[in-house]
Amino acid sequence: MRIKLISLFVSLALTYTSVAQSHKNEIGIQSDNDSYLAQGSDRYYTDGIFVYFRHALKADGTKLKNKVLGFEAGQKIFNPQGGNIPGPQYIDRPFAGYLYAGATLNLLYANESNLKLGAQVGVIGPGSGAEGTQNTVHRWFNFYHPTGWEYQIHDGAVINLSAEYNKLLTRGDGIDLSFTGYGNLGMGFSGAGAGLMVRAGNFNQLFNSVSTQSTASNIDSKDLLHPHEFFAYYKPVLNYVAYDATIQGSLSSNKSSAPLQITSNRQPIMLSNEVGVAYTASHWVLSFAAIFHTKDTKEQVRVHQWGSATVLYRF
């Protein structure tokens, strides 16, 4: 169902070819799933669904080129090496769900650096509804019935803060290189990461680009490099994981309570590689990425990967 919906949005978006203009607002959806890469897998970070609304605030237009306030809500679902395990000894990454709502403030500067600050509140565990979501989707598509959720991470509240920083390093004809970094701190996720992003094609400055979630803006199209973005990118990031509640259990849960929860030992150093393509039309923003991660836990028997599709409408 999600694939059909995304295909419909793509078909509609490609009919818009008018010259780009500023749009102060955008609303859209992002869907993550390992099935998008046609690997036949259903493991680890197996599914995610997110909705977004972003609004461009007034910026001074000199040093601060763009300022975007965002709101989002989402759900993530995690499985072990399969969603239908024969016994608890096969749980190499815990069953877990994460349901949240959050807000972001994205400050984008004329020198093509940006600082994006965020906060999330949510719940990890049965209260996230992850088991019900997975069972429903599998029933709709006549997939197998998942088993093993009785061992999932217990309920726990999450309050988390985040910061992301990007900075243009160099730009040539049709290609550029940027630094990217982030940090997380809170009851659900703590850690940091740093890496690079290479873009090739028709891209705009980092203060009004898909790359920095800043396509909502008050910027006139004449100030941009291209009326439409259409580029490919590669983004390797080295991550340090200090704490992950979907692996280790929530800080606020009672770990001694029944039923049994099975946790794992986090892998503190993880490498992620993201390869994708992005396109903007007059009102539409489309992107698709393939993400490849090394192991999240010391017990994992495989690395994992998934696809991520995003469709936004600007107005």
Side-chain angles (χ1 to χ4, degrees):
M1 181 177 289
R2 288 186 193 171
I3 295 175
K4 290 181 179 179
L5 180 62
I6 291 168
S7 298
L8 175 61
F9 274 123
V10 171
S11 299
L12 290 172
L14 293 178
T15 66
Y16 287 82
T17 56
S18 58
V19 175
Q21 53 186 303
S22 65
H23 298 285
K24 295 182 180 180
N25 304 288
E26 65 184 16
I27 188 169
I29 189 170
Q30 176 184 328
S31 176
D32 297 349
N33 200 286
D34 48 358
S35 67
Y36 294 160
L37 299 185
Q39 298 289 311
S41 64
D42 193 11
R43 58 177 176 261
Y44 308 138
Y45 176 44
T46 185
D47 186 73
I49 187 74
F50 314 91
V51 292
Y52 300 104
F53 173 75
R54 300 184 182 117
H55 173 71
L57 303 174
K58 185 176 180 181
D60 61 32
T62 53
K63 289 185 178 181
L64 186 62
K65 195 73 173 179
N66 193 10
K67 182 163 60 173
V68 181
L69 177 65
F71 300 95
E72 63 187 78
Q75 182 190 57
K76 293 184 176 183
I77 301 175
F78 299 88
N79 284 348
Q81 55 189 295
N84 187 6
I85 59 167
Q89 67 272 25
Y90 294 96
I91 298 179
D92 58 337
R93 193 202 197 281
F95 284 96
Y98 176 46
L99 182 70
Y100 76 93
T104 59
L105 180 62
N106 200 355
L107 306 173
L108 302 115
Y109 298 93
N111 67 354
E112 297 198 54
S113 65
N114 84 295
L115 178 63
K116 183 179 179 183
L117 304 173
Q120 293 181 357
V121 294
V123 61
I124 286 175
S128 70
E131 179 183 4
T133 298
Q134 188 172 61
N135 286 337
T136 299
V137 171
H138 280 226
R139 185 170 62 251
W140 283 349
F141 290 95
N142 198 28
F143 294 159
Y144 67 88
H145 178 69
T147 60
W149 277 97
E150 64 268 28
Y151 302 109
Q152 71 175 297
I153 296 296
H154 288 172
D155 272 330
V158 170
I159 301 175
N160 238 80
L161 302 177
S162 65
E164 177 185 331
Y165 177 76
N166 298 278
K167 179 69 173 74
L168 179 69
L169 299 177
T170 184
R171 175 171 294 143
D173 186 15
I175 190 168
D176 68 5
L177 176 67
S178 302
F179 168 82
T180 183
Y182 75 90
N184 296 319
L185 180 65
M187 299 169 64
F189 311 95
S190 293
L196 299 171
M197 178 174 60
V198 180
R199 301 188 295 177
N202 293 338
F203 46 76
N204 281 324
Q205 298 97 319
L206 294 183
F207 51 69
N208 189 192
S209 176
V210 181
S211 301
T212 50
Q213 304 86 51
S214 57
T215 46
S217 76
N218 295 299
I219 300 171
D220 193 288
S221 60
K222 65 181 176 61
D223 294 329
L224 302 176
L225 296 176
H226 298 282
H228 307 291
E229 289 190 302
F230 185 40
F231 63 89
Y233 69 92
Y234 170 54
K235 185 177 178 180
V237 176
L238 184 65
N239 307 272
Y240 170 69
V241 180
Y243 173 70
D244 186 332
T246 68
I247 295 172
Q248 299 165 266
S250 172
L251 291 172
S252 63
S253 68
N254 182 357
K255 296 179 175 59
S256 64
S257 64
L260 173 67
Q261 70 168 350
I262 295 181
T263 60
S264 296
N265 297 298
R266 81 187 196 287
Q267 188 68 261
I269 303 297
M270 184 186 66
L271 177 65
S272 65
N273 289 278
E274 181 175 341
V275 181
V277 61
Y279 171 74
T280 63
S282 177
H283 289 280
W284 295 93
V285 179
L286 308 174
S287 64
F288 182 81
I291 300 96
F292 303 88
H293 270 215
T294 56
K295 298 176 181 180
D296 288 342
T297 76
K298 295 179 179 179
E299 294 84 1
Q300 269 182 232
V301 297
R302 296 182 178 91
V303 297
H304 60 130
Q305 60 282 317
W306 66 91
S308 179
T310 303
V311 180
L312 303 169
Y313 180 77
R314 302 188 290 174
F315 57 99

